[in-house]
Amino acid sequence: MLGVYDYTVVLTYLSILTALAGIICSFTPQLILAAVICLMICGCLDAFDGKVARTKKNRTDFERKFGIQIDSLSDVIAFGVLPCCIGINLVNNSRFLEKLTTYSHYYTYFKEVLIGICILYALAAVIRLAYYNVTEEERQNAEEGNREYFTGVPVTSAAIVCPLIYLVQMANKLDLTLVYMFFIALMGSLFISEKKIRKPGFKHLMILIVLGILEVALMIFCKIYLQKQ
């Protein structure tokens, strides 16, 4: 069969499957929480897939290049398309935006603008990952070791920012669709910026994972608690 199927790419394949499940969930308003949790799981898997791949000492040049490409394609789905789908779901089911449309039909176009922002966000993520692939291959040909800095904010930041906004929305029974869209637009612009970001170390990754687990627990608590209200 074409491709690589050893343990070095297992986490990446799991991330793709999780992201696709999240996208499917995002089509149903009642399953938006599941979509957000899928996004966070993808962030957790992405934090370790590279470390797992580097444990194989005898990786061929083909396996290494395949790993770079499949990881970026996974990130396109998980951190480009999935947050975009979640955003479109929030726009289409926003109570606040629904009230606006009752005042004037012009606000219908406002929804289309917000959906357009989601699409541009996904485009920015693809551009950022394509740039990373090219520069990473050039860097590996010129030097050994791991990258210490990123150019532009990594797309994986969506796995932190988007769930946090949704958690605040759940906890306070607010409609934070516009807040979500603001950060989607901000992240998209930062993806393709030339800002240098230091690559987080293992300790920072573990802190983020613990915070992510706490966020998931709080989301589930809010979901159960609010259903009893």
Side-chain angles (χ1 to χ4, degrees), residues 15 28 39 41 43 51 62 68 77-79 84 127 134 169 172 176-177 179 185 196 204 208 210 227:
S15 181
T28 305
L39 174 59
I41 293 174
K51 292 177 174 56
F62 172 81
I68 293 174
I77 301 171
F79 311 115
C84 171
I127 293 172
V134 174
Q169 175 170 297
N172 296 279
L176 299 181
T177 300
V179 175
K196 296 289 185 181
H204 298 100
L208 291 175
V210 171
Q227 282 182 342

Short mmCIF file of all heavy atoms in Angstrom, two decimals, residues 15 28 39 41 43 51 62 68 77-79 84 127 134 169 172 176-177 179 185 196 204 208 210 227:
data_model
loop_
_atom_site.label_atom_id
_atom_site.label_comp_id
_atom_site.label_asym_id
_atom_site.label_seq_id
_atom_site.Cartn_x
_atom_site.Cartn_y
_atom_site.Cartn_z
N SER A 15 -5.37 11.86 14.79
CA SER A 15 -5.77 13.27 14.77
C SER A 15 -6.67 13.56 13.58
O SER A 15 -7.66 14.30 13.70
CB SER A 15 -4.52 14.16 14.72
OG SER A 15 -4.87 15.53 14.72
N THR A 28 -24.23 19.66 13.49
CA THR A 28 -25.42 19.56 14.33
C THR A 28 -25.25 20.45 15.55
O THR A 28 -24.31 20.28 16.32
CB THR A 28 -25.62 18.10 14.80
OG1 THR A 28 -25.68 17.24 13.65
CG2 THR A 28 -26.91 17.96 15.61
N LEU A 39 -11.56 19.06 18.77
CA LEU A 39 -10.50 20.02 18.46
C LEU A 39 -9.40 19.97 19.52
O LEU A 39 -8.21 19.99 19.20
CB LEU A 39 -11.09 21.44 18.37
CG LEU A 39 -10.10 22.60 18.18
CD1 LEU A 39 -9.28 22.41 16.92
CD2 LEU A 39 -10.85 23.92 18.15
N ILE A 41 -8.69 17.43 21.52
CA ILE A 41 -8.00 16.14 21.41
C ILE A 41 -6.96 16.20 20.29
O ILE A 41 -5.84 15.69 20.44
CB ILE A 41 -9.01 15.01 21.16
CG1 ILE A 41 -9.91 14.82 22.38
CG2 ILE A 41 -8.28 13.70 20.84
CD1 ILE A 41 -11.04 13.82 22.17
N GLY A 43 -5.35 18.81 19.35
CA GLY A 43 -4.24 19.58 19.87
C GLY A 43 -3.33 18.74 20.73
O GLY A 43 -2.09 18.86 20.66
N LYS A 51 7.32 14.05 18.51
CA LYS A 51 8.23 13.41 19.48
C LYS A 51 8.22 11.90 19.30
O LYS A 51 9.27 11.25 19.40
CB LYS A 51 7.83 13.80 20.90
CG LYS A 51 8.08 15.26 21.23
CD LYS A 51 7.61 15.60 22.63
CE LYS A 51 8.00 17.02 23.01
NZ LYS A 51 7.49 18.02 22.07
N PHE A 62 12.46 9.12 3.01
CA PHE A 62 11.07 9.12 2.56
C PHE A 62 10.12 9.18 3.75
O PHE A 62 9.14 9.93 3.74
CB PHE A 62 10.78 7.86 1.74
CG PHE A 62 9.32 7.69 1.39
CD1 PHE A 62 8.75 8.40 0.33
CD2 PHE A 62 8.50 6.86 2.14
CE1 PHE A 62 7.41 8.26 0.02
CE2 PHE A 62 7.16 6.71 1.84
CZ PHE A 62 6.61 7.41 0.77
N ILE A 68 6.40 14.79 7.63
CA ILE A 68 6.20 16.25 7.58
C ILE A 68 4.93 16.58 6.82
O ILE A 68 4.12 17.40 7.26
CB ILE A 68 7.43 16.93 6.93
CG1 ILE A 68 8.66 16.80 7.82
CG2 ILE A 68 7.13 18.41 6.67
CD1 ILE A 68 9.93 17.33 7.18
N ILE A 77 -6.82 19.94 8.41
CA ILE A 77 -8.16 19.47 8.77
C ILE A 77 -8.52 19.85 10.20
O ILE A 77 -9.60 20.37 10.48
CB ILE A 77 -8.27 17.95 8.58
CG1 ILE A 77 -7.96 17.57 7.13
CG2 ILE A 77 -9.67 17.45 8.96
CD1 ILE A 77 -7.83 16.07 6.90
N ALA A 78 -7.57 19.59 11.13
CA ALA A 78 -7.85 19.75 12.56
C ALA A 78 -7.91 21.20 13.00
O ALA A 78 -8.81 21.60 13.76
CB ALA A 78 -6.81 19.00 13.39
N PHE A 79 -6.97 22.03 12.53
CA PHE A 79 -6.86 23.40 13.02
C PHE A 79 -7.19 24.46 11.99
O PHE A 79 -7.16 25.65 12.29
CB PHE A 79 -5.45 23.62 13.57
CG PHE A 79 -5.01 22.53 14.52
CD1 PHE A 79 -3.95 21.70 14.19
CD2 PHE A 79 -5.68 22.33 15.71
CE1 PHE A 79 -3.56 20.68 15.04
CE2 PHE A 79 -5.29 21.31 16.57
CZ PHE A 79 -4.23 20.48 16.24
N CYS A 84 -13.11 26.40 11.55
CA CYS A 84 -13.95 27.10 10.57
C CYS A 84 -15.38 26.57 10.63
O CYS A 84 -16.34 27.35 10.67
CB CYS A 84 -13.36 26.92 9.18
SG CYS A 84 -14.41 27.50 7.83
N ILE A 127 -2.12 28.35 3.97
CA ILE A 127 -0.94 29.10 3.51
C ILE A 127 0.19 28.97 4.53
O ILE A 127 1.35 28.73 4.17
CB ILE A 127 -1.29 30.58 3.29
CG1 ILE A 127 -2.26 30.72 2.12
CG2 ILE A 127 -0.03 31.40 3.03
CD1 ILE A 127 -2.82 32.12 1.95
N VAL A 134 7.76 24.04 3.34
CA VAL A 134 8.88 24.41 2.47
C VAL A 134 10.08 24.83 3.30
O VAL A 134 11.21 24.36 3.08
CB VAL A 134 8.46 25.55 1.52
CG1 VAL A 134 9.67 26.03 0.73
CG2 VAL A 134 7.37 25.07 0.58
N GLN A 169 -18.61 30.93 27.05
CA GLN A 169 -19.99 31.05 26.57
C GLN A 169 -20.91 30.10 27.32
O GLN A 169 -22.02 30.47 27.73
CB GLN A 169 -20.06 30.76 25.07
CG GLN A 169 -21.48 30.73 24.51
CD GLN A 169 -21.52 30.67 23.00
OE1 GLN A 169 -21.05 31.58 22.33
NE2 GLN A 169 -22.07 29.60 22.45
N ASN A 172 -21.44 31.14 31.18
CA ASN A 172 -22.18 32.37 31.45
C ASN A 172 -23.47 32.49 30.65
O ASN A 172 -24.15 33.51 30.72
CB ASN A 172 -21.29 33.58 31.15
CG ASN A 172 -20.08 33.64 32.07
OD1 ASN A 172 -20.18 34.10 33.19
ND2 ASN A 172 -18.94 33.17 31.58
N LEU A 176 -21.33 34.38 22.50
CA LEU A 176 -20.03 34.98 22.21
C LEU A 176 -19.59 34.71 20.77
O LEU A 176 -18.40 34.64 20.49
CB LEU A 176 -18.98 34.45 23.19
CG LEU A 176 -19.23 34.75 24.68
CD1 LEU A 176 -18.10 34.19 25.53
CD2 LEU A 176 -19.41 36.24 24.91
N THR A 177 -20.56 34.61 19.89
CA THR A 177 -20.23 34.34 18.49
C THR A 177 -19.32 35.40 17.90
O THR A 177 -18.33 35.09 17.22
CB THR A 177 -21.52 34.25 17.64
OG1 THR A 177 -22.34 33.19 18.15
CG2 THR A 177 -21.19 33.97 16.18
N VAL A 179 -17.29 37.34 19.51
CA VAL A 179 -15.97 37.21 20.15
C VAL A 179 -15.17 36.10 19.47
O VAL A 179 -13.99 36.25 19.17
CB VAL A 179 -16.11 36.92 21.65
CG1 VAL A 179 -14.75 36.68 22.29
CG2 VAL A 179 -16.82 38.07 22.35
N ALA A 185 -10.47 35.78 13.23
CA ALA A 185 -9.85 36.73 12.30
C ALA A 185 -8.44 37.08 12.77
O ALA A 185 -7.50 37.17 11.96
CB ALA A 185 -10.70 37.99 12.19
N LYS A 196 8.12 36.08 15.07
CA LYS A 196 8.87 34.92 15.53
C LYS A 196 8.30 34.45 16.88
O LYS A 196 8.18 35.24 17.81
CB LYS A 196 10.34 35.26 15.69
CG LYS A 196 11.05 35.62 14.39
CD LYS A 196 11.23 34.40 13.51
CE LYS A 196 12.03 34.74 12.26
NZ LYS A 196 12.21 33.57 11.37
N HIS A 204 6.06 23.28 28.98
CA HIS A 204 4.95 24.14 28.55
C HIS A 204 3.83 23.32 27.91
O HIS A 204 2.64 23.60 28.12
CB HIS A 204 5.45 25.20 27.57
CG HIS A 204 6.47 26.13 28.15
ND1 HIS A 204 7.81 25.98 27.93
CD2 HIS A 204 6.33 27.20 28.97
CE1 HIS A 204 8.47 26.93 28.57
NE2 HIS A 204 7.61 27.68 29.21
N LEU A 208 -0.11 23.06 29.13
CA LEU A 208 -1.24 23.29 28.23
C LEU A 208 -2.18 22.09 28.20
O LEU A 208 -3.41 22.25 28.15
CB LEU A 208 -0.72 23.59 26.82
CG LEU A 208 0.00 24.93 26.63
CD1 LEU A 208 0.57 25.03 25.23
CD2 LEU A 208 -0.93 26.10 26.91
N VAL A 210 -2.68 19.90 30.65
CA VAL A 210 -3.41 19.88 31.93
C VAL A 210 -4.53 20.92 31.90
O VAL A 210 -5.66 20.64 32.33
CB VAL A 210 -2.45 20.16 33.11
CG1 VAL A 210 -3.24 20.37 34.40
CG2 VAL A 210 -1.48 19.00 33.28
N GLN A 227 -28.19 21.64 31.82
CA GLN A 227 -29.33 20.83 31.39
C GLN A 227 -30.33 20.65 32.53
O GLN A 227 -31.51 20.40 32.30
CB GLN A 227 -28.84 19.46 30.91
CG GLN A 227 -28.25 19.49 29.52
CD GLN A 227 -27.83 18.11 29.06
OE1 GLN A 227 -27.67 17.19 29.86
NE2 GLN A 227 -27.65 17.95 27.75
#
